[in-house]
Amino acid sequence: MATYSLANERLRALEDIEREIGAILQNAGSRYDDERGTVILELSKEKTNERLLDRQAAAFTASVQHVEAELSAQIRYLTQVATGQPHEGSSYSSRKDCQMALKRVDYARLKLSEVARTCEQMLEN
């Protein structure tokens, strides 16, 4: 169950990143009713409001940096998963090791019982 919730969490994070990219593009190219306006609209004016442009540029840069950081984190995670390195949320390797250890214990018990039977037979003769 934890694997599914981790996968769902990763998908939600990617959806959030996608929405943020959409918002970045929308802020750059379409008009809003609030005071932010758009960079393109403001730049098309004969007399631009430099403070407004600075705020919009800072917001744009911060959003792009946030998206870049989130995408980098997702790519790092996918790189770990794809190369077989252990990662959070995966217990496959541990479960496989445990199963193999139990099989080795069963095999050792079988061989010890065979040795015990052989010893008993030799002592009887």
Side-chain angles (χ1 to χ4, degrees), residues 48-121:
T48 60
N49 183 343
E50 287 186 34
R51 275 193 245 146
L52 178 61
L53 282 175
D54 287 342
R55 281 194 310 252
Q56 289 174 340
F60 178 82
T61 303
S63 294
V64 169
Q65 287 174 345
H66 180 259
V67 165
E68 182 181 10
E70 290 296 318
L71 284 175
S72 293
Q74 293 291 332
I75 289 169
R76 276 192 308 278
Y77 170 78
L78 291 173
T79 301
Q80 285 181 337
V81 173
T83 59
Q85 294 178 0
H87 61 284
E88 283 185 27
S90 175
S91 61
Y92 175 77
S93 177
S94 299
R95 280 187 285 148
K96 190 69 173 168
D97 288 345
C98 182
Q99 288 171 350
M100 293 304 291
L102 291 173
K103 287 183 187 271
R104 287 191 299 270
V105 166
D106 288 341
Y107 183 74
R109 282 186 185 142
L110 177 71
K111 289 299 178 182
L112 284 173
S113 65
E114 287 177 10
V115 169
R117 258 186 269 126
T118 303
C119 288
E120 287 174 5
Q121 287 175 355

